[in-house]
Amino acid sequence: MIQANDKDALRVVMRGYRSNSETTAFVPTLGNLHDGHLSLVRKAREVADRVVVSIFINPTQFDKAEDLAAYPRTLENDLKLLKQEKIDLVFLPEADEMYPEGSAARVEVDGISDILEGDSRPGHFSGVATIVAKLFNLVQPDVSVFGEKDFQQLMLIRRMVDDLDFGIEIIAAPTAREESGLAMSSRNNYLNEQQRNAIAPKLYAELTAIHKSIQAGVRDYLKLQKEVTEVLNQQGFTTDYIEIRNASDLSVAQENDKELVILASAWLGKARLIDNLRVSL
Ligand code: PAF
């Protein structure tokens, strides 16, 4: 596994792959890798000759509520896991390498950036779009793999890639879950044992309950959202949103919509958990 700490080192390796006509699949990460990330890496391995992973705790996508300084940093273990997965190249830039003094350009994806996660975390998606665009420009992959757990992020990246003609195929990988149903996430590290084992899995359980009700014919989505919000709040969560949306554009779901997604965000202790579940009617 080659380790590139700066852009020039990365470009040299990428030029080599391209001159051998080797294809590249890219997995951007914030580090603190878990099985969810490794499932993205394995997907990447299936679809290209070379697998490139970046580990960069991107300061521009953090807001006050989620403290950049508190984000778990586990570089040594991350590198060990990536070596075991036999990836080809890991890119590990420092913040001033990605955002040198005076950087002023940002990527904005209108509309989708302002709702749900974007509404709760102003500026977050601009930070995500900007860093992913920069990483795409540096790596120039053929394919990039993103998790469905961050459903809105995935839609934002697809929109950006289409609108800015990146010519990169975006592959979605299913959400990796613990046995309890809890979606794997670095934020789960902020939970204590009791929260993690006894309460956090209820978020997915409630999404599953909504799914079941919709499949059974319930169409009063506002009522479903309200009921589940109350249940979760009684169980110790502080729910940010539970929303049933059209899966193609995240507009508020209408009675006749056939492809839906139930999106959830809720605080549990110090962790802000997000999850989602697709419903096809
Ligand atoms: O999903 C993440 O881990 C981050 O938002 C990403 C895509 C690596 C950008 O920093």
Side-chain angles (χ1 to χ4, degrees), residues 28-30 56 58 61 128 131-132 146 150 153:
T29 80
L30 295 166
F56 178 61
N58 174 36
Q61 71 185 79
V128 171
I131 194 63
V132 173
F146 289 81
D150 295 301
Q153 171 174 280

Side-chain angles (χ1 to χ4, degrees), residues 26-31 37 40 54-62 71 99 124-125 127-129 131-132 135 145-147 150 153 157 186-187:
F26 173 52
V27 182
T29 80
L30 295 166
H37 296 107
L40 308 184
S54 62
I55 297 179
F56 178 61
I57 305 183
N58 174 36
T60 64
Q61 71 185 79
F62 285 80
Y71 196 82
Y99 298 108
H124 169 70
F125 282 127
V128 171
I131 194 63
V132 173
L135 291 166
V145 187
F146 289 81
D150 295 301
Q153 171 174 280
I157 300 295
S186 302
R187 276 117 192 149

Side-chain angles (χ1 to χ4, degrees), residues 10-265:
L10 175 81
R11 285 192 182 105
V12 168
V13 182
M14 293 314 304
R15 265 200 295 272
Y17 295 160
R18 276 192 292 278
S19 68
N20 291 336
S21 302
E22 291 171 310
T23 56
T24 298
F26 173 52
V27 182
T29 80
L30 295 166
N32 191 231
L33 303 183
H34 49 67
D35 281 349
H37 296 107
L38 300 186
S39 71
L40 308 184
V41 168
R42 286 173 200 148
K43 186 74 206 166
R45 171 59 70 218
E46 281 171 27
V47 296
D49 301 317
R50 298 288 187 176
V51 175
V52 178
V53 174
S54 62
I55 297 179
F56 178 61
I57 305 183
N58 174 36
T60 64
Q61 71 185 79
F62 285 80
D63 52 17
K64 275 193 212 118
E66 192 185 23
D67 195 358
L68 172 66
Y71 196 82
R73 287 156 168 85
T74 52
L75 186 58
E76 208 180 309
N77 193 52
D78 293 350
L79 293 177
K80 197 171 119 202
L81 292 172
L82 292 176
K83 249 185 215 154
Q84 281 166 4
E85 292 298 323
K86 300 193 168 27
I87 73 150
D88 296 282
L89 168 64
V90 60
F91 180 45
L92 299 165
E94 293 291 338
D96 58 0
E97 177 75 5
M98 296 310 288
Y99 298 108
E101 184 84 33
S103 309
R106 306 271 295 189
V107 178
E108 299 288 347
V109 184
D110 288 345
I112 192 164
S113 296
D114 305 322
I115 57 171
L116 301 162
E117 282 303 283
D119 187 31
S120 300
R121 306 175 67 191
H124 169 70
F125 282 127
S126 169
V128 171
T130 302
I131 194 63
V132 173
K134 285 167 70 68
L135 291 166
F136 280 175
N137 283 332
L138 289 164
V139 177
Q140 298 180 26
D142 299 278
V143 176
S144 188
V145 187
F146 289 81
E148 278 174 351
K149 178 179 162 281
D150 295 301
F151 190 85
Q152 193 177 352
Q153 171 174 280
L154 174 64
M155 285 186 84
L156 170 111
I157 300 295
R158 287 193 195 283
R159 178 86 271 142
M160 179 185 82
V161 164
D162 282 355
D163 290 357
L164 298 182
D165 301 311
F166 274 98
I168 296 168
E169 184 190 352
I170 302 300
I171 295 186
T175 303
R177 298 188 180 279
E178 297 184 359
E179 246 175 67
S180 64
L182 175 64
M184 288 184 187
S185 166
S186 302
R187 276 117 192 149
N188 296 347
N189 290 329
Y190 300 144
L191 301 170
N192 64 32
E193 215 177 300
Q194 199 256 349
Q195 288 168 332
R196 187 168 182 147
N197 298 331
I199 309 176
K202 291 183 176 153
L203 188 61
Y204 182 60
E206 288 304 321
L207 292 185
T208 311
I210 298 181
H211 186 283
K212 219 165 140 193
S213 300
I214 298 175
Q215 291 287 9
V218 177
R219 291 292 176 274
D220 190 342
Y221 297 146
L222 281 179
K223 188 160 169 250
L224 273 180
Q225 291 169 189
K226 194 163 170 276
E227 281 168 3
V228 166
T229 301
E230 275 164 21
V231 171
L232 288 171
N233 290 348
Q234 273 158 18
Q235 287 170 339
F237 290 92
T238 304
T239 304
D240 189 353
Y241 59 78
I242 301 286
E243 289 280 334
I244 301 164
R245 296 284 173 120
N246 180 308
S248 63
D249 59 6
L250 294 186
S251 60
V252 172
Q254 306 298 314
E255 213 177 306
N256 293 331
D257 288 349
K258 299 286 176 230
E259 291 296 326
L260 306 175
V261 57
I262 317 158
L263 300 131
S265 159

